[in-house]
Amino acid sequence: MKIKHKLLLLISGLLLSLNVFALDLQDAKNQGLVGELSNGYLGVVVTNDDTIALAKSVNAKRRAYYEQIAKKNGISVDDVAKLAAEKAIAAASKGQFVQTPQGKWVKK
């Protein structure tokens, strides 16, 4: 019986850890783990390996997209990022975190 119990605990732990790896952007935002920064990028509200990895991945994709838009329109990447920040913060759902221009996290 002890082996069965330990095996059940191990399987439960593995299933729970798989859910953490399956964390996507919307889930992370809805759980308050990440939020929109005032500079157009994703910020980490709750620091752990998964949220850091998610933010790095999302931000790399955003940066590449901002660079494409900036080049196409003859403007700076920072200008594109600032415009994207305004839109992302406005589009954030109630209860999600956004960062104020002063750097403070607030729930929308």
Side-chain angles (χ1 to χ4, degrees):
M1 202 63 156
K2 285 185 177 182
I3 293 174
K4 212 176 206 182
H5 182 68
K6 287 181 181 180
L7 187 58
L8 183 60
L9 284 175
L10 178 63
I11 292 170
S12 296
L14 287 172
L15 289 175
L16 289 174
S17 67
L18 289 176
N19 287 337
V20 172
F21 291 120
L23 188 66
D24 69 9
L25 179 57
Q26 271 318 116
D27 288 340
K29 283 183 174 184
N30 291 336
Q31 292 177 33
L33 302 175
V34 298
E36 293 295 338
L37 296 172
S38 59
N39 65 1
Y41 295 93
L42 188 67
V44 174
V45 178
V46 176
T47 303
N48 64 47
D49 291 342
D50 294 321
T51 56
I52 291 169
L54 177 65
K56 283 182 180 180
S57 174
V58 168
N59 288 336
K61 292 173 186 173
R62 286 185 181 185
R63 176 78 183 184
Y65 186 63
Y66 296 165
E67 287 172 352
Q68 288 177 352
I69 294 171
K71 186 176 180 179
K72 183 177 180 181
N73 293 289
I75 58 177
S76 75
V77 173
D78 287 342
D79 287 341
V80 174
K82 286 177 187 175
L83 290 171
E86 292 172 13
K87 289 183 179 184
I89 289 170
S93 299
K94 184 177 179 183
Q96 292 181 347
F97 281 97
V98 296
Q99 189 183 61
T100 66
Q102 294 77 29
K104 183 178 177 182
W105 285 114
V106 293
K107 273 191 178 181
K108 190 168 178 192

